[in-house]
Amino acid sequence: VTFFYSFAILNGSLEKLSLHAVYLCRSIPWAIPIMLYLLGFILSGIGAGDGAIVLLIPAAMSIAKITGMNYFLAATSTICGISYAGATPISTIGIFISELMEHAGYSREAANSFANKTFFHGFVVFTLVFILSYIIFKGYKVKAGGIALPEPFEGKQKTTLAIIFLYLCVMVLVPLLHLVIPQNAVIDLFADNLNIALVSFFFALVSILLRVGDEKKAFLRVPWSALMTLCGMCM
């Protein structure tokens, strides 16, 4: 998963998407911290997990400098959205929770239930922290006069975003169809064997074949120290 998202981080497609999203808030500058919070939630929740920090914090600091927003508020808004969204079923923390519980002998339903509780508790805590930060550091007084229209997306960036969109379609639509059309043999087969690591690896190969980024640099962006720690914990 982290290898797949490394391509989007390296070629700047997710960062530019974030800047375009903030630009849309230029007429309502008080909503810019809220947009940073939502961007952190979305990018972390769709699979990037804590890796979204590497992507969004530099963009958030740039936005804070342009708008005069408090730097602590910019960082807090972003990290609060990222911190709990990683517990979604298709993101890093949610995957680790589910797989560790299944290996420990719990059913998939029990693992998903625990992950959902983790997500809800995180939502309550980090949303409260964001609201307090927004009030204390006066997010409602942010000015947007210095925000310029970001550069248009380049060809590789458009391709990367299209690949991410297809990735999300696979990860979201299959379980959704499984709920809407139960007891369908074909859909059941796909839903039971849908593995996020395999899907991510497949779309990472697509990214390599379409040359959206340097796979060697993307490979180096994988958080190896964190993965080695988790491997040790699992053993």
Side-chain angles (χ1 to χ4, degrees), residues 70-84:
N70 183 284
Y71 285 101
F72 189 79
L73 174 60
T76 304
S77 301
T78 308
I79 293 173
C80 281
I82 291 171
S83 295
Y84 73 91

Side-chain angles (χ1 to χ4, degrees), residues 12-22 39 43 153 161:
S13 54
L14 289 180
E15 181 179 1
K16 193 169 286 185
L17 182 66
S18 303
L19 293 174
H20 275 277
V22 171
L39 283 170
L43 294 180
F153 291 100
L161 293 176

Side-chain angles (χ1 to χ4, degrees), residues 185-203:
V186 176
I187 296 175
D188 287 350
L189 179 65
F190 278 101
D192 291 340
N193 293 281
L194 186 67
N195 183 286
I196 189 168
L198 179 61
V199 175
S200 300
F201 185 70
F202 171 78
F203 280 105

Side-chain angles (χ1 to χ4, degrees), residues 6-30:
S6 292
F7 289 96
I9 294 172
L10 284 170
N11 66 20
S13 54
L14 289 180
E15 181 179 1
K16 193 169 286 185
L17 182 66
S18 303
L19 293 174
H20 275 277
V22 171
Y23 179 75
L24 293 176
C25 295
R26 66 192 184 281
S27 59
I28 45 171
W30 54 265

Side-chain angles (χ1 to χ4, degrees), residues 35-36 56 91 98 142 207 218 234:
M35 177 59 76
L36 289 174
L56 283 178
S91 195
S98 297
V142 171
S207 300
C234 291

